[in-house]
Amino acid sequence: MTKQAGRSARDSVWLEGRARRGGRSGQPSGLDRERITAASVRLLDAEGLAKFSMRRLAAELNVTAMSLYWYVDTKDDLLELALDATYAELRLPDPDNADEDWREQLRALATAYRAQLVRHPWLSPLAGRFLNIGPNSLAFSRVIQRVVRRAGLPAHGVTGAISAVFQFVYGFGTIEGHFLTRIADTGLSPDEYFEQAMSMVDEVPGTADVMRESKDLMAARGGDTVAEMLDRDFTFALDLLIAGIEAMVTRG
């Protein structure tokens, strides 16, 4: 059994005070936890999760790999720190601001989370692997909970509403991020890649009828570019979910 397969909740960097450690005595100068974490995020953005290693990070920081272990115990600890650091990028609304509609606050949170997942394609597998109990992640979750509670749902429905919205966003943003990563490797623009893919699928036997129907639906949706099509789908789906929350409040 690998270390990751046997990893328990107690192994989280955010437990037992390990995340607050500023480095052991005698640590190398010029390094700190924040600098290492920021470099990890940059490296993950540039090269992806599969290529990330302590050795590669050390080369990026121009230090030895052993120097990093003055600040973290394992690579997983560092990945948890990098994961939580991305949540600090999100601008969180004030859920106690009565002048702001909860619907608009929820749309803003969902839109920001989608952008975060697309901006950091490596985030989604880590969000599914770790506990997500870092301070920035918890702040995001706390604001979401308080915004959704303002909708007027019964207490037993709040977590279900949150799941409906943010599991949708997680799936949408993950697929979009992977799509754009795949396109980046081809040297084509998203629109060029989409047109090429649609043309190739048209040539596969047995798909003509399905593709004809799909093209009609895409034409009805509107949008001249891939980005516009994605935005339209995301906005409409999010509106459906918010309307569903409103309907459940009315059903009460």
Side-chain angles (χ1 to χ4, degrees):
M1 179 179 292
T2 65
K3 176 175 175 56
Q4 183 59 52
R7 188 175 174 87
S8 70
R10 288 176 296 177
D11 290 327
S12 172
V13 71
W14 302 108
L15 300 175
E16 300 176 1
R18 289 159 57 201
R20 293 187 295 274
R21 190 179 69 199
R24 301 184 180 97
S25 59
Q27 68 266 31
S29 61
L31 286 182
D32 55 46
R33 181 67 74 74
E34 289 73 24
R35 183 185 172 199
I36 294 171
T37 301
S40 299
V41 171
R42 291 195 301 271
L43 192 59
L44 286 161
D45 285 344
E47 300 184 358
L49 185 58
K51 295 182 179 180
F52 183 81
S53 69
M54 299 294 270
R55 186 183 301 276
R56 179 69 187 86
L57 177 61
E60 185 75 10
L61 290 166
N62 198 29
V63 298
T64 66
M66 288 305 298
S67 299
L68 301 176
Y69 290 104
W70 289 92
Y71 299 88
V72 293
D73 291 336
T74 67
K75 184 176 81 169
D76 279 345
D77 287 352
L78 196 47
L79 290 174
E80 276 195 278
L81 292 168
L83 171 64
D84 191 68
T86 67
Y87 285 91
E89 300 168 3
L90 301 178
R91 182 178 179 181
L92 304 180
D94 178 5
D96 298 323
N97 186 349
D99 294 330
E100 292 188 12
D101 190 282
W102 67 267
R103 300 164 189 81
E104 294 308 312
Q105 289 189 329
L106 187 57
R107 286 189 180 94
L109 287 164
T111 301
Y113 186 41
R114 171 198 171 192
Q116 179 195 18
L117 288 161
V118 172
R119 189 164 55 248
H120 307 294
W122 50 271
L123 185 155
S124 57
L126 294 186
R129 182 190 304 180
F130 297 123
L131 288 176
N132 294 274
I133 56 173
N136 296 310
S137 177
L138 288 179
F140 180 58
S141 298
R142 185 178 299 114
V143 169
I144 290 171
Q145 179 176 295
R146 292 172 67 184
V147 167
V148 173
R149 286 179 69 94
R150 288 179 57 202
L153 288 167
H156 69 265
V158 171
T159 56
I162 292 172
S163 294
V165 173
F166 286 93
Q167 288 186 24
F168 152 69
V169 179
Y170 175 86
F172 194 101
T174 296
I175 293 172
E176 183 179 2
H178 291 175
F179 174 66
L180 295 176
T181 298
R182 183 167 68 248
I183 291 171
D185 294 334
T186 68
L188 300 173
S189 72
D191 297 327
E192 292 169 337
Y193 183 91
F194 178 75
E195 289 297 327
Q196 187 180 99
M198 294 296 289
S199 297
M200 292 174 62
V201 172
D202 272 342
E203 299 173 3
V204 178
T207 64
D209 290 341
V210 175
M211 291 309 301
R212 188 179 303 112
E213 182 178 351
S214 297
K215 287 178 179 178
D216 290 343
L217 291 173
M218 286 187 285
R221 170 182 55 190
D224 295 327
T225 68
V226 170
E228 289 173 343
M229 288 188 285
L230 289 170
D231 286 345
R232 286 177 183 267
D233 282 349
F234 180 82
T235 299
F236 189 80
L238 185 57
D239 284 345
L240 284 177
L241 292 168
I242 292 175
I245 294 174
E246 293 174 318
M248 294 303 291
V249 171
T250 300
R251 182 182 296 182

